[in-house]
Amino acid sequence: MDKVDAAYFHQTIEPLLAGPGIEYIGEIDERAKAEFLGQARALLFPIDWPEPFGLSMIEAMACGTPVLAFRHGSVPEIIDPGVTGVIVDSVEEAVQVLPQVLALDRRVVRRRFDERFSATRMAKDYLAVYRSLLRQPMVPDSEASRITMQPRRREGVN
């Protein structure tokens, strides 16, 4: 745990851990993460700030685990509603849709991960970008620097 988070954890989170139905796992290493996420019935992602990506959602989907996430940050870009998870706007809505999340087909969740977030998909996308760049006409260095360094004049304007 980061030192900056320790006070918050001890004051706010730790007292809740004694509640019924709560088992505190703590941090797990990379080796244990796949097994842990793969055995989970779903991942709850109760984010409340504009998270730019949300790697834990991708890690869960890689294990075939559906995601129940709050509508903030990158969540709508990552979750395919009704396919890889469900997006909600409140705790009450999360409770209502939980059975829907648990009913999602884990094989479909994993397949969608492969289609969107796998290393193979990333490599194919990079190749497509490189090929598109190779199809563009080359601009000589001297012309490129002239274009970027000198403003273009319009006729009749000084």
Side-chain angles (χ1 to χ4, degrees), residues 38-50:
Q39 290 181 6
R41 297 197 48 211
L43 172 72
L44 176 61
F45 195 70
I47 190 134
D48 64 356
W49 69 287

Side-chain angles (χ1 to χ4, degrees), residues 10-47:
H10 293 303
Q11 293 170 4
T12 306
I13 303 299
E14 206 167 39
L16 301 174
L17 299 179
I22 296 175
E23 177 185 357
Y24 178 68
I25 303 296
E27 290 188 40
I28 56 176
D29 63 23
E30 289 299 316
R31 286 183 304 154
K33 188 185 302 183
E35 181 180 351
F36 183 78
L37 288 171
Q39 290 181 6
R41 297 197 48 211
L43 172 72
L44 176 61
F45 195 70
I47 190 134

Side-chain angles (χ1 to χ4, degrees), residues 68 70 88-99:
L68 175 56
F70 284 38
V88 297
D89 296 304
S90 68
V91 172
E92 295 76 23
E93 187 180 1
V95 171
Q96 287 178 341
V97 302
L98 183 59

Side-chain angles (χ1 to χ4, degrees), residues 76-89:
E77 298 171 43
I78 293 174
I79 302 299
D80 292 323
V83 178
T84 59
V86 176
I87 302 170
V88 297
D89 296 304

Side-chain angles (χ1 to χ4, degrees), residues 48-122:
D48 64 356
W49 69 287
E51 167 73 51
F53 188 69
L55 184 60
S56 59
M57 291 185 287
I58 304 303
E59 292 171 330
M61 290 188 293
C63 298
T65 301
V67 178
L68 175 56
F70 284 38
R71 187 183 318 278
H72 290 287
S74 64
V75 168
E77 298 171 43
I78 293 174
I79 302 299
D80 292 323
V83 178
T84 59
V86 176
I87 302 170
V88 297
D89 296 304
S90 68
V91 172
E92 295 76 23
E93 187 180 1
V95 171
Q96 287 178 341
V97 302
L98 183 59
Q100 178 185 343
V101 175
L102 298 177
L104 292 174
D105 187 329
R106 296 176 70 96
R107 291 169 299 194
V108 172
V109 172
R110 173 57 198 212
R111 187 169 38 244
R112 191 65 178 136
F113 164 83
D114 286 334
E115 293 168 359
R116 294 189 62 207
F117 302 110
S118 67
T120 300
R121 164 69 190 271
M122 181 182 66

Side-chain angles (χ1 to χ4, degrees), residues 1-10 24 27:
M1 176 183 326
D2 290 341
K3 291 179 184 178
V4 297
D5 297 328
Y8 173 78
F9 177 82
H10 293 303
Y24 178 68
E27 290 188 40

